[in-house]
Amino acid sequence: MATDAEQACFEAGIKFGSLYHQFAGTPVSPRSIDSLERAMEESIENQPYCVAVTVDIHEERVAAAIDHENGYTELTGSLMDVEMRIEYRASVVRTRMEMEDGYPLMKLVSVQ
């Protein structure tokens, strides 16, 4: 069986997969950033063992990605940074997704 820390890491991966694949492609504009951030955070925080989620969709990146007159673009990992805190029994896992070498990399920050 997995240790508590391993299970917490597994849970973090599930949350990232859910967040990314549930929301990728969502229409986003500078005007809708705040509400989309909240919706993403609250959605993932509903899942077991997820204590906190912070989604930061960068307005300047969204504005730069809009390439037509309709005023929105599709949400991608390159437009946001995400942090999560997962607690499973006595283990606490902190994660982050941020751009690294042109790719939205999801990684463990700490495992306690």
Side-chain angles (χ1 to χ4, degrees):
M1 289 302 298
T3 67
D4 288 353
E6 290 168 336
Q7 186 65 39
C9 291
F10 172 79
E11 292 293 339
I14 295 296
K15 276 62 168 163
F16 262 129
S18 177
L19 179 137
Y20 195 88
H21 294 291
Q22 178 179 348
F23 290 99
T26 299
V28 63
S29 70
R31 191 179 76 245
S32 67
I33 287 172
D34 290 341
S35 63
L36 183 55
E37 287 172 337
R38 281 191 313 278
M40 293 172 74
E41 291 165 354
E42 291 176 7
S43 173
I44 302 306
E45 286 174 351
N46 282 326
Q47 295 184 34
Y49 315 114
C50 190
V51 175
V53 178
T54 303
V55 176
D56 184 18
I57 301 173
H58 299 276
E59 185 173 353
E60 68 281 357
R61 294 181 196 173
V62 170
I66 296 171
D67 62 358
H68 52 79
E69 69 276 357
N70 295 320
Y72 74 93
T73 190
E74 293 179 5
L75 185 66
T76 65
S78 66
L79 302 178
M80 63 181 160
D81 295 329
V82 178
E83 294 185 359
M84 284 192 242
R85 178 184 167 111
I86 309 299
E87 294 182 5
Y88 181 81
R89 296 185 182 160
S91 293
V92 177
V93 171
R94 294 179 187 275
T95 64
R96 180 176 299 131
M97 182 184 82
E98 60 191 351
M99 292 301 291
E100 190 170 304
D101 297 326
Y103 183 79
L105 186 65
M106 300 170 195
K107 57 187 168 185
L108 293 170
V109 174
S110 68
V111 179
Q112 301 171 341

